[in-house]
Amino acid sequence: MFLIVSAALFSVGLLAALSRRHAIFILIGIEMMLAAANLNFIAFWRFAPQPAQPIGVMVAIFAIAIAAAEAAVGLAMVIAVYRHYRTTDVDQLDRLKG
Amino acid sequence: MNAVAFVVIAIFALSAALAAATLGKLMHAALMFAVALVGVAALFFLLGAEFVGLVLVFVYVGAVAVLIVFTILLTRRDLDVDRGFNWTGVIVAILVFVGLSVAIFKTPFLASATPQTTMITVRQIGEALMTNYVWPLQCVGVLLTAALIGALVLVMEEKR
């Protein structure tokens, strides 16, 4: 059952990342997909015969830390792009040369 | 596992996530994102991983959501209403969900498995982090430092 919830959360994140044009929405969708993956790690860790090694917990904690780093860099890039182009609409960012 | 609590929390988290993905105003979506992550943290509590749930609340609701709100405030020029909605993304997301559900229900082990909830203490997690996982921990420290310095460099004013 946890896996179904996790799959639904992943799909919602994918929806946000694919269908919105605003860069911040895309980052929110990516964070939601990462949270769904963490939920899967914890659920599969709980399926193992107990007491198990805390591998799932470790992977989830490291994934959260890396997701925080990714969010910081991604939002900094949104701000930098906005300063340059005056927009955060990803459909209008179609030049490689500044 | 308390089934009623699970259903309530799951509906709460999923509806908040759906609102975050579809709301028109960016600020409302960011706040709904924080609510959805509180729901996910409650699911972690239900699975007996309290420490991960608390870390999720601290990191996401405490740090990432605030960061998103600040970014929205700093990039506010274009009236923060999202123009247009790409329906191809909706179709792809529904297809992915159907595919994952079919895969989960067709696996005989996963369809019937109920997770066991024995508690894991913070002491166990700390011991594991300080013995088996020391090197990953140090690497994450270096990664976070590098990411924060990189973010600062990215948003520094360009000198002309």
Side-chain angles (χ1 to χ4, degrees):
Chain A
M1 282 298 104
F2 282 96
L3 298 180
I4 295 291
V5 174
S6 169
L9 195 66
F10 184 88
S11 305
V12 172
L14 195 67
L15 188 152
L18 287 182
S19 65
R20 306 305 291 253
R21 304 257 163 80
H22 205 290
I24 297 173
F25 270 118
I26 294 175
L27 279 171
I28 288 178
I30 290 171
E31 296 293 328
M32 262 193 248
M33 287 195 270
L34 281 165
N38 281 336
L39 188 57
N40 250 359
F41 276 124
I42 300 287
F44 273 111
W45 170 66
R46 277 303 180 199
F47 289 155
Q50 302 291 323
Q53 293 281 311
I55 299 172
V57 171
M58 288 304 144
V59 174
I61 288 173
F62 286 124
I64 289 171
I66 292 168
E70 174 259 332
V73 175
L75 291 169
M77 279 178 68
V78 170
I79 293 178
V81 164
Y82 174 78
R83 275 199 192 137
H84 201 83
Y85 289 106
R86 291 283 143 197
T87 182
T88 48
D89 189 337
V90 290
D91 280 357
Q92 290 176 21
L93 308 176
D94 48 5
R95 282 178 298 165
L96 280 178
K97 194 176 173 194
Chain B
M1 188 182 71
N2 194 342
V4 180
F6 171 75
V7 171
V8 170
I9 293 170
I11 290 173
F12 173 73
L14 284 179
S15 50
L18 205 60
T22 53
L23 276 181
K25 279 219 165 171
L26 202 44
M27 190 64 85
H28 297 172
L31 296 177
M32 274 298 149
F33 167 71
V35 173
L37 282 167
V38 170
V40 175
L43 285 179
F44 282 178
F45 272 78
L46 218 54
L47 277 170
E50 281 101 350
F51 185 70
V52 185
L54 275 178
V55 166
L56 197 81
V57 170
F58 287 155
V59 171
Y60 276 100
V61 183
V64 173
V66 173
L67 209 59
I68 289 175
V69 168
F70 268 108
T71 310
I72 293 168
L73 292 178
L74 282 174
T75 61
R76 219 175 160 117
R77 178 73 56 88
D78 44 9
L79 286 176
D80 75 2
V81 177
D82 202 12
R83 295 170 298 280
F85 201 82
N86 192 353
W87 289 100
T88 322
V90 180
I91 296 167
V92 170
I94 290 172
L95 283 181
V96 167
F97 177 63
V98 170
L100 285 174
S101 307
V102 168
I104 290 169
F105 279 118
K106 277 209 167 179
T107 313
F109 157 64
L110 292 180
S112 61
T114 50
Q116 301 144 26
T117 50
T118 49
M119 296 302 167
I120 180 166
T121 58
V122 180
R123 182 195 176 99
Q124 282 170 290
I125 294 173
E127 275 174 359
L129 271 180
M130 283 297 134
T131 53
N132 287 338
Y133 295 89
V134 167
W135 290 110
L137 190 71
Q138 304 294 330
C139 290
V140 165
V142 173
L143 174 83
L144 280 174
T145 314
L148 291 185
I149 294 174
L152 275 179
V153 169
L154 272 175
V155 297
M156 250 193 290
E157 292 287 340
E158 297 173 24
K159 293 194 178 64
R160 292 175 194 273

